Amino acid sequence: MRLYYSVIIVFMTLIGNVQLLRAQTPLNDLNWQIDTAKSDEFNGTTINRAKWHVLDCPSGDCCNWGGSTAFEINNANEVGGILQLRTDGPTPAPAPCNLVGCYATAGLISDSSNYSYGYFEMYAQFPGFYNKGVPCGQKFWPAFWLAYAKIDTTCTLIHEEIDIIDPGKVYQDGKTIGSSWHYQDGHCSMRQYGLINFTAPSPLFAAYHKFALEWNSNKIIFYFDDIPYSEHYNDTTMIMSPLQLYIDQQIVDTNVKFAPSMPFPQYMSVDYFRYYKLNLDCSNSVTLLDSTDMSKYVYSVKSDITFGNGKDSIIMKSTDVKYFRAVNSITINGTFTAPLGSELGLIPTPCN
């Protein structure tokens, strides 16, 4: 049996006892490998300036994203294994920013501008409070995003962006975030795709949560606590240039006010940021004859994967979690059993 993408979905559904509990996240898919050079656990005593540029309006940094944002270098700190991005409010930001109606807050930009296809995960807690028992994140704009920009001969600006978290005004309820991606085409006009608002079951200021993106040339998937909430496939706009990473606390424009009883300071707190890449071995194929071969398998994206020799059976354990990726084909040659409780993924994956 030769399995391709459309057939894989049917195959998993018909078996009925194969559970896709968390989709293809690094938690269960060992094909993902962490890139420690481009990740940060924020376990030091100061922000790692070899990885991050700390935004500072008084030093001449742009930008007033959100409309009431004035980034201050001293508002970004690493304390007790946590990155803290502090918003002072409600006092307007001091000179020399001279941004009327703006508030001191904090943000980081990666020094590397070479984040490409992979899995991006942030574990964070957002600002906000209970206003008379009602969740409130009014005026805050916590953001986690990737972007690329350059001057081009046909456009004033070529701009590509993936917004893992970009809530704008929808975070007023302390639970809703926005996700999307967009690019600037040859006519200098912005195109936005996959725009979705996701509302968490509980306030995002009450506990830490995972926010993640899986990005490849044929897919963009947004995750909350390991569960996908927005999936997009086979769109040419997903093929973008390498991007820079941004983690910042923005402030919504002057049309939105802080809740009168909002306590300050408020923090966007980040426990870690992790960047994973697929282990690629796309020029080689592999045949796994039995369960022993499967247990010794070094997970990577292969050209082709074949299970079995047509004679012996392969039986997974009920506790097994196994994800296999190949560029061209995945073939089951014989009997393959995935019992109740096991987790199996057979995933066609481009080699990029």
Side-chain angles (χ1 to χ4, degrees):
M1 178 165 53
R2 189 177 292 264
L3 301 178
Y4 295 95
Y5 182 78
S6 60
V7 182
I8 288 173
I9 301 300
V10 175
F11 171 76
M12 292 179 175
T13 303
L14 290 178
I15 284 182
N17 56 8
V18 178
Q19 301 176 4
L20 294 179
L21 298 179
R22 294 175 295 272
Q24 299 93 45
T25 74
L27 191 64
N28 58 2
D29 183 351
L30 298 181
N31 295 284
W32 291 113
Q33 295 186 340
I34 192 167
D35 185 339
T36 56
K38 295 181 182 177
S39 303
D40 202 332
E41 298 295 317
F42 299 115
N43 285 334
T45 56
T46 59
I47 295 171
N48 186 342
R49 299 302 180 89
K51 292 186 176 183
W52 304 103
H53 171 72
V54 183
L55 287 164
D56 188 42
C57 180
S59 298
D61 281 339
C62 71
C63 295
N64 182 18
W65 300 313
S68 288
T69 304
F71 293 114
E72 300 269 348
I73 194 169
N74 293 326
N75 282 39
N77 294 283
E78 207 165 303
V79 180
I82 300 294
L83 171 66
Q84 294 185 339
L85 304 180
R86 187 181 77 243
T87 300
D88 291 332
T91 304
C97 286
N98 297 319
L99 298 175
V100 177
C102 291
Y103 299 87
T105 185
L108 306 184
I109 303 178
S110 65
D111 282 341
S112 172
S113 57
N114 196 30
Y115 287 91
S116 191
Y117 303 132
Y119 192 93
F120 302 78
E121 180 179 276
M122 179 179 73
Y123 191 50
Q125 184 174 13
F126 293 163
F129 79 123
Y130 285 102
N131 186 8
K132 298 179 180 179
V134 178
C136 178
Q138 191 167 313
K139 203 170 175 66
F140 289 108
W141 185 327
F144 176 36
W145 50 297
L146 297 144
Y148 160 87
K150 72 173 183 179
I151 303 299
D152 187 83
T153 56
T154 60
C155 272
T156 303
L157 179 69
I158 297 294
H159 182 89
E160 299 171 331
E161 183 170 323
I162 303 176
D163 298 312
I164 309 169
I165 302 170
D166 187 35
K169 298 178 182 180
V170 300
Y171 185 65
Q172 291 187 70
D173 64 359
K175 297 192 294 183
T176 301
I177 57 174
S179 304
S180 67
W181 78 95
H182 60 246
Y183 78 106
Q184 205 145 8
D185 64 18
H187 300 288
C188 303
S189 58
M190 190 69 74
R191 305 285 191 236
Q192 191 167 45
Y193 295 86
L195 178 62
I196 184 173
N197 290 334
F198 170 77
T199 300
S202 60
L204 299 176
F205 57 80
Y208 282 83
H209 294 279
K210 291 181 186 178
F211 305 89
L213 162 74
E214 181 182 356
W215 171 35
N216 211 316
S217 62
N218 68 342
K219 70 173 68 172
I220 283 178
I221 305 177
F222 299 103
Y223 293 83
F224 175 76
D225 284 344
D226 300 314
I227 304 297
Y229 61 87
S230 183
E231 303 182 34
H232 311 266
Y233 298 92
N234 298 317
D235 189 317
T236 56
T237 63
M238 297 168 183
I239 304 173
M240 302 184 198
S241 308
L243 307 175
Q244 260 185 311
L245 181 80
Y246 298 71
I247 301 175
D248 58 68
Q249 175 57 69
Q250 300 172 30
I251 308 297
V252 176
D253 61 41
T254 53
N255 294 324
V256 177
K257 306 296 182 183
F258 285 120
S261 54
M262 178 79 71
F264 286 96
Q266 287 281 334
Y267 296 91
M268 177 178 173
S269 301
V270 181
D271 188 9
Y272 64 76
F273 160 68
R274 294 172 184 165
Y275 171 54
Y276 299 83
K277 296 184 291 186
L278 287 170
N279 184 21
L280 300 178
D281 188 23
C282 308
S283 61
N284 293 313
S285 299
V286 64
T287 298
L288 305 176
L289 293 176
D290 50 32
S291 301
T292 300
D293 281 355
M294 285 179 61
S295 67
K296 296 178 180 180
Y297 180 64
V298 177
Y299 288 87
S300 58
V301 180
K302 300 292 187 182
S303 174
D304 303 272
I305 300 175
T306 300
F307 295 98
N309 57 9
K311 299 178 181 179
D312 300 323
S313 298
I314 296 178
I315 303 175
M316 292 176 61
K317 297 178 183 178
S318 61
T319 55
D320 280 347
V321 176
K322 296 183 180 295
Y323 280 71
F324 300 92
R325 293 175 179 264
V327 177
N328 298 310
S329 69
I330 299 175
T331 303
I332 294 179
N333 187 13
T335 303
F336 191 112
T337 303
L340 182 66
S342 63
E343 191 171 336
L344 174 65
L346 307 175
I347 310 167
T349 303
C351 191
N352 49 40

